[in-house]
Amino acid sequence: MKFTLSWLYDHLETQATLAEICAALNQIGLEVESVESRGAALQPFLTARITQAVQHPNADRLRVCTVDAGPGFETVQVVCGAPNARTGLAVIFAPPGTYVPGLDITIKAGAIRGESSGGMLCSLRELGIGEESNGIAELPEDTLPGESYADFAGLDDVVIDIAITPNRGDALGVRGIARDLAAAGLGTLRPWLAETVEGTFASPIEWAITYPEACPWILGRTIRGVRNGPSPEWLQRKLESIGLRPISALVDITNYFCFDLGRPLHVFDANRIAGSRLTVCRGGKESFVALDGKTYTVTADDCVIADQAGVQSVAGIMGGEATGADDATTDVFVECALFDPVKVALSGRRLGLFSDSSYRFERGVDPALPVAALEAATRMIVDLCGGEASEVVSAGQQPEWQRTASLRFDRLESLGGLAVPADESVALLEKLGFEVRSRDDRSVVVAVPSWRNDVAQSPLLSQGVDLPADVARVAAEGVAAIEAESDLVEEVLRLKGLDAVPAASLPSFSVVPGAALTPRLARTELARRMLAARGLTETVGFSFVSNEAARSFGGAPESLRLLNPIASDLDQMRPTPLVNLTAAVKANSARGWADLGLFEIGPAFAEDGQQAVAAGVRAGHTQRYPGLASEPVSLWAAKADALELLRALGLNLDAITTTADAPGWYHPGRSGVLRQGPKLVVARFGELHPSLLQEQGIDTPVVAFEVLLDAVPEPKRRKKAAPQLSAFQPVRRDFAFVVGEDTPGENVLRAVRGADRQLVTAVSLFDVYTGPHVPQGQRSIGVEVTLQPTERSLTDAELEAVSERIVAAVTKATGAVLR
C-alpha cells in the first residue's frame, strides 16, 4: 500500500516527522517496506526562461538559446534541438554536473557544432516523470527562474510503501492508516463527512440481484450532463505519486476513493448500457472484453454485472470495455457495492484477472461505507465534471455486520506478555473506533466498528461429524469468544508498540529435544551425501517446467497444467527431475563445459500423485588418466550410481533384478529398470534417447538414472550381531556360459547364487562376448564366483563338486552350456 505524506496529512493532523511516522507504523504492525522521495533526484533541475533563441549558424535543426536560470546562471548559452524552443518560454534547465535519469547521462559543458553549450533544456520524459513529447517541457508563463523544479512541481512529497497483512483490509485506505496512527498517539484524525447530493430525477437505470450469495447489497445513481476529460493537476499528482497513470477525470475519481477510503467504485457509460436494468448474477460461459483490453470467459461460478446485451463487468474485479467511460461520455452510472471476499478471490484466480479493487474486496471492505462513499464520489464528479445527479437506486440490503467482543484485562499479560492498565486498554480501543457497551473491574465488552472486518469474525471450524449438536454448538461459541478476545489483545498490544512486547521462548515439550530429521528426511540426506560422494554436483530446479519439455519426458497431462504460471515457459508440473537436469546439461555444454555429473532430489508429478525422486545425469566423457584414455560416459556408470544408492538405502542388491522396459525418454536398447521382485520398480537407468538429445540440441553423450525414493521400502530393523569372519582363504573361479541372446544375464547370476547358498558369497558379471567361436544367435556370459569356506579349506574334490553344482544350476535355469 503506497501513499504520500501530503495525502496522509489530508486525514491526519500531526507535527510528527517522517522518521517518527515510519517508526510508529512499524510499531503498530504496518511494516514500512520503503520510503521514496521522487523529488530528491530532481532537486538540481531549475526553472528557467529563454531570453533569446536564434538559429544555430551551423545546423538547421538546432537553436542557440540564452537562458536565465536564476543566481549563478543568469545568462547561460544552451544549444537546443527542440522544435518548440523560443524566446520567452519558461523551461526546465539542467546545469553541468546534473544527472538526467530519463537519459542515464550526466550533463557536461561543451560545444555543439562550434557553439558553446552550458547545460540542457529538458522534457518531462528526460526527467523520468512524463510521457514521450515533441520538445522540451513548457512551464506556465509566470514561472520565476532559479527555483528547484522538484519544489516548483510539488515533487518533494515522500512516498511511503507499507506491507499489509491479509487481515487488515481497513489499512488499504489512507484514512485507515491515519486512524491507526492517531490511535497510537501520533496526531489527531481529521473529521470526514460526505456531503449529501440531493437527486433531482429518477435514475433511468436500476439494479437487480439474482446472486445474493456473492452480492448482498449494491447501490448506484445516474449523473447526466458530465464533461469528461483530464483530471485536475492535484488529483493527477496524487495518483502518479503512488504509481497510477491518470486516465480521465471519471476514472481517476474512482481510483482516488479506492486508495483514499479503501472503497472500490466503478462508473459505467450510461448511454452504452443496453436496457434500463443492470443485474448482478452468475456468469454463463460468456466472453467479454475487460478494461485491460483482454478477453475473458466467465463461468457459472463467477459473479458478473450484466445488461440486456450480456456481461459488462466481473463483479468486484474489473469493468468491461464496452461500457467504459471515455472522453465522449456524457452520462454515467456510478456503482458502489458489497461483494463476497471469497467469491471475488476465486473468480480472480479462475480468470487470471486481478485489480486494486479485487485486492481490497478479497480482504474485506467497510460494509457501512457504501452510502457515504457514493455521496462523496458523486460530489467530486459534479464538482470536477459538472452534471446533475439522480436519486440513489439500490438492490439487496446492508448485511448485519454489528457484533461485540469482550476482553478480560488480565489476558493482556497472560496471553500477550505485557501488563496494560484497564483504563489505558479501554482508551486505546476507543481511539480505534470500538465503543464500550459494558465494563466492570475485570473485563470490558465493546462494539466492533464496521471497518474492522478482521475482529470477532466467526471462525471456520472443522468439527467431527459424530459430535453431538449441543457439544458442537458450545465448542463453536467458545472458540468464537476466544478468537474475539485474542483480536482485542492484539489491538491493545500493537498500539502500545510491538517492540514493547517482551520476547518469550516457546515452551519445550520435553527435556530431550525431538529428532531433527524424520526417517524420510534422513534417507533423503543419506541419498544426497552418497551421490555427492560419487562425484555428482547437486542442483535445485523448479517443480514446474515448460509444457513442451514435459512432453519429452513422459507426457504433459492437462490436469497438471498451471492455470496461472509465473512465466509462460513454466506452465507444467514436471514428470521427472531429469527435465531440469537435461536443461542444465544443455546450458553447460553450450558454454564449453560438456563433461559433468549432476543430480537433484525432488518431486516428480503424475496424475496419480507425486513422489520423491533422486535423479542424476552424467554427460560427455570420462576423465583422462595416465595409461587410460577418455571414453564416452557409459550406461553402466548410471546403473552403478543407482545400485550404490539403493545399497546405501538398505536394499539387498541380490534381490534386485533388471528388466529392459525403461520409459520412452531412455534409449530402448541401452537402458533398464531395476526391480525388487517382479513388480516393484525402484529405479531406472540408461542412455537418454538420441531423438530427445537432438531435440534439446545436446551433441554429447548423456546417461541418466532415477531412483524412486518413495518406492524403496524401509529396511527392516533387526538386531545386529557381530559379523562372522572366516579364517580361511576365499576361492574365486570364473565360468563362461553360452546362452541365447535373449536370455537375461540376471537369470545366470541368480542361478549361480542358488547353487550353494553357504559357499557362494559373491557373483559378478565380468564379460559378455559375441563373435567367432560362439554360435549365431547366442552369446558368452563370463561370471566370477567367490567361494568362502567357513570350517576348513576346500579340497580339489569339493571345489569340483561345487563347480558341477553351479554348472548344473545354470543349465537347468537357462539352458546354458559351459563354454
Side-chain angles (χ1 to χ4, degrees):
M1 171 66 188
K2 289 185 177 182
F3 60 94
T4 63
L5 272 182
S6 62
W7 201 338
L8 179 68
Y9 294 153
D10 290 346
H11 295 280
L12 181 68
E13 185 176 351
T14 180
Q15 299 298 320
T17 64
L18 173 63
E20 291 171 338
I21 290 174
C22 291
L25 288 170
N26 285 323
Q27 290 175 0
I28 62 178
L30 302 178
E31 181 182 357
V32 177
E33 293 195 320
S34 67
V35 178
E36 176 188 2
S37 176
R38 294 195 308 160
L42 303 180
Q43 284 295 331
F45 294 89
L46 303 174
T47 58
R49 185 176 302 279
I50 301 175
T51 57
Q52 184 182 33
V54 298
Q55 183 65 45
H56 194 293
N58 303 318
D60 294 338
R61 297 187 178 182
L62 298 178
R63 297 180 70 80
V64 179
C65 303
T66 302
V67 177
D68 177 10
F73 301 100
E74 290 87 351
T75 56
V76 181
Q77 181 170 295
V78 178
V79 177
C80 180
N84 61 331
R86 62 187 183 273
T87 301
L89 181 65
V91 294
I92 303 172
F93 172 69
T98 302
Y99 173 74
V100 183
L103 299 179
D104 193 23
I105 62 172
T106 300
I107 300 301
K108 297 180 180 179
I112 301 177
R113 294 289 184 92
E115 293 291 332
S116 63
S117 182
M120 178 180 177
L121 304 182
C122 305
S123 67
L124 295 182
R125 182 190 63 82
E126 290 164 340
L127 270 62
I129 59 174
E131 302 293 333
E132 186 68 43
S133 63
N134 294 323
I136 56 178
E138 299 187 13
L139 303 183
E141 293 183 2
D142 58 352
T143 301
L144 297 176
E147 184 180 358
S148 170
Y149 178 72
D151 298 336
F152 169 82
L155 297 175
D156 54 343
D157 205 358
V158 176
V159 179
I160 303 174
D161 188 7
I162 62 174
I164 302 296
T165 53
N167 64 315
R168 291 301 306 277
D170 64 298
L172 289 173
V174 179
R175 184 163 184 81
I177 299 169
R179 183 187 297 112
D180 264 18
L181 288 173
L186 217 68
T188 304
L189 185 66
R190 297 181 187 273
W192 181 87
L193 183 64
E195 180 183 350
T196 301
V197 179
E198 296 294 337
T200 59
F201 63 96
S203 174
I205 301 173
E206 297 180 345
W207 285 116
I209 298 177
T210 62
Y211 193 6
E213 300 87 353
C215 178
W217 190 32
I218 191 166
L219 300 91
R221 74 191 314 173
T222 302
I223 306 176
R224 64 190 181 191
V226 300
R227 298 179 302 278
N228 196 18
S231 54
E233 186 177 355
W234 69 266
L235 180 53
Q236 292 190 34
R237 284 184 180 177
K238 281 187 182 294
L239 299 181
E240 288 174 342
S241 67
I242 59 174
L244 293 182
R245 179 175 62 88
I247 298 173
S248 68
L250 290 172
V251 177
D252 293 350
I253 289 170
T254 63
N255 286 335
Y256 169 78
F257 283 105
C258 186
F259 284 85
D260 187 65
L261 301 178
R263 175 66 251 183
L265 300 164
H266 181 65
V267 291
F268 296 90
D269 188 322
N271 295 323
R272 297 181 180 179
I273 295 175
S276 60
R277 174 173 295 180
L278 286 174
T279 303
V280 183
C281 57
R282 293 178 179 269
K285 293 186 178 180
E286 180 180 348
S287 298
F288 89 113
V289 181
L291 287 173
D292 61 1
K294 299 180 181 179
T295 301
Y296 300 92
T297 302
V298 297
T299 69
D301 294 324
D302 298 316
C303 181
V304 302
I305 298 176
D307 61 8
Q308 291 182 359
V311 175
Q312 301 300 337
S313 172
V314 180
I317 303 179
M318 188 174 291
E321 189 177 70
T323 56
D326 57 22
D327 290 345
T329 299
T330 58
D331 301 334
V332 295
F333 185 71
V334 187
E335 166 228 310
C336 186
L338 293 179
F339 297 111
D340 181 74
V342 175
K343 289 181 169 54
V344 170
L346 292 177
S347 289
R349 283 149 183 77
R350 262 192 304 270
L351 301 173
L353 181 59
F354 307 96
S355 66
D356 291 324
S357 294
S358 65
Y359 190 78
R360 283 155 177 78
F361 278 119
E362 289 176 17
R363 286 153 181 78
V365 297
D366 186 346
L369 187 59
V371 173
L374 183 59
E375 294 290 353
T378 302
R379 170 52 60 193
M380 187 173 289
I381 291 174
V382 171
D383 289 345
L384 300 184
C385 304
E388 181 183 9
S390 75
E391 298 173 349
V392 176
V393 293
S394 65
Q397 59 184 357
Q398 185 183 82
E400 294 293 333
W401 56 266
Q402 294 82 358
R403 57 197 183 279
T404 60
S406 61
L407 170 66
R408 291 168 289 177
F409 299 125
D410 60 353
R411 291 292 284 166
L412 290 165
E413 183 174 12
S414 62
L415 183 61
L418 184 65
V420 183
D423 290 342
E424 184 179 0
S425 300
V426 173
L428 291 174
L429 291 174
E430 287 179 325
K431 288 181 179 180
L432 284 173
F434 293 86
E435 296 181 3
V436 176
R437 292 294 175 83
S438 63
R439 178 186 170 182
D440 55 30
D441 293 338
R442 298 180 59 254
S443 64
V444 63
V445 177
V446 296
V448 180
S450 61
W451 53 82
R452 290 308 300 268
N453 294 282
D454 59 313
V455 177
Q457 288 285 9
S458 298
L460 297 176
L461 297 179
S462 178
Q463 295 180 314
V465 295
D466 56 347
L467 197 65
D470 56 339
V471 175
R473 178 182 54 79
V474 172
E477 291 174 353
V479 171
I482 293 172
E483 290 286 337
E485 185 176 50
S486 300
D487 291 336
L488 296 183
V489 169
E490 179 185 359
E491 293 303 303
V492 173
L493 293 184
R494 72 181 185 87
L495 289 185
K496 288 290 292 182
L498 295 179
D499 55 351
V501 178
S505 300
L506 293 174
S508 59
F509 291 102
S510 64
V511 177
V512 179
L517 295 177
T518 64
R520 179 171 179 172
L521 290 176
R523 287 172 53 137
T524 301
E525 289 302 314
L526 175 62
R528 182 173 285 112
R529 293 196 303 271
M530 174 60 66
L531 294 176
R534 291 187 63 80
L536 301 177
T537 301
E538 185 177 12
T539 68
V540 178
F542 283 127
S543 291
F544 22 85
V545 296
S546 68
N547 181 268
E548 293 76 13
R551 292 183 185 279
S552 300
F553 287 86
E558 195 64 27
S559 59
L560 296 179
R561 195 80 174 264
L562 299 180
L563 297 178
N564 186 29
I566 61 174
S568 59
D569 58 345
L570 298 174
D571 59 345
Q572 187 77 37
M573 303 306 294
R574 68 182 183 186
T576 169
L578 289 182
V579 183
N580 307 74
L581 293 174
T582 306
V585 169
K586 176 182 178 181
N588 281 274
S589 179
R591 290 159 177 79
W593 197 265
D595 303 336
L596 76 165
L598 306 172
F599 80 92
E600 179 181 350
I601 300 177
F605 299 87
E607 289 189 287
D608 57 351
Q610 73 178 66
Q611 59 179 333
V613 175
V617 295
R618 292 184 183 271
H621 295 71
T622 61
Q623 291 185 350
R624 296 171 61 188
Y625 294 100
L628 184 64
S630 177
E631 297 179 348
V633 290
S634 167
L635 68 94
W636 306 115
K639 182 179 181 181
D641 290 331
L643 288 174
E644 191 63 21
L645 179 54
L646 292 175
R647 183 196 62 76
L649 295 177
L651 261 65
N652 180 8
L653 298 189
D654 291 341
I656 299 297
T657 59
T658 305
T659 58
D661 54 345
W665 54 90
Y666 289 100
H667 192 297
R670 300 175 185 174
S671 59
V673 174
L674 300 179
R675 299 172 182 268
Q676 185 183 40
K679 295 183 178 180
L680 182 61
V681 176
V682 293
R684 304 184 283 256
F685 69 93
E687 295 182 8
L688 290 185
H689 201 287
S691 63
L692 187 149
L693 297 180
Q694 183 179 9
E695 176 185 304
Q696 297 285 335
I698 301 175
D699 57 1
T700 185
V702 180
V703 298
F705 67 88
E706 300 163 275
V707 175
L708 313 181
L709 296 177
D710 290 342
V712 178
E714 292 279 352
K716 295 181 179 179
R717 298 185 179 275
R718 296 174 180 173
K719 187 176 181 180
K720 293 184 178 180
Q724 295 181 355
L725 303 178
S726 176
F728 301 97
Q729 186 79 11
V731 179
R732 293 180 176 84
R733 283 202 168 185
D734 296 343
F735 296 84
F737 297 98
V738 178
V739 298
E741 285 187 336
D742 57 348
T743 301
E746 291 283 350
N747 294 355
V748 176
L749 299 177
R750 192 182 304 109
V752 173
R753 294 190 192 99
D756 193 317
R757 296 287 184 182
Q758 293 183 345
L759 286 178
V760 178
T761 56
V763 183
S764 62
L765 176 70
F766 71 85
D767 180 58
V768 177
Y769 172 75
T770 58
H773 310 297
V774 175
Q776 186 73 24
Q778 295 185 317
R779 59 179 177 170
S780 173
I781 294 180
V783 297
E784 180 187 71
V785 182
T786 300
L787 305 174
Q788 178 63 67
T790 57
E791 297 178 355
R792 54 186 174 82
S793 297
L794 298 175
T795 64
D796 290 343
E798 290 171 333
L799 287 174
E800 288 301 323
V802 70
S803 297
E804 290 177 1
R805 291 198 296 274
I806 290 173
V807 173
V810 174
T811 300
K812 180 180 179 181
T814 66
V817 296
L818 189 65
R819 182 179 172 190

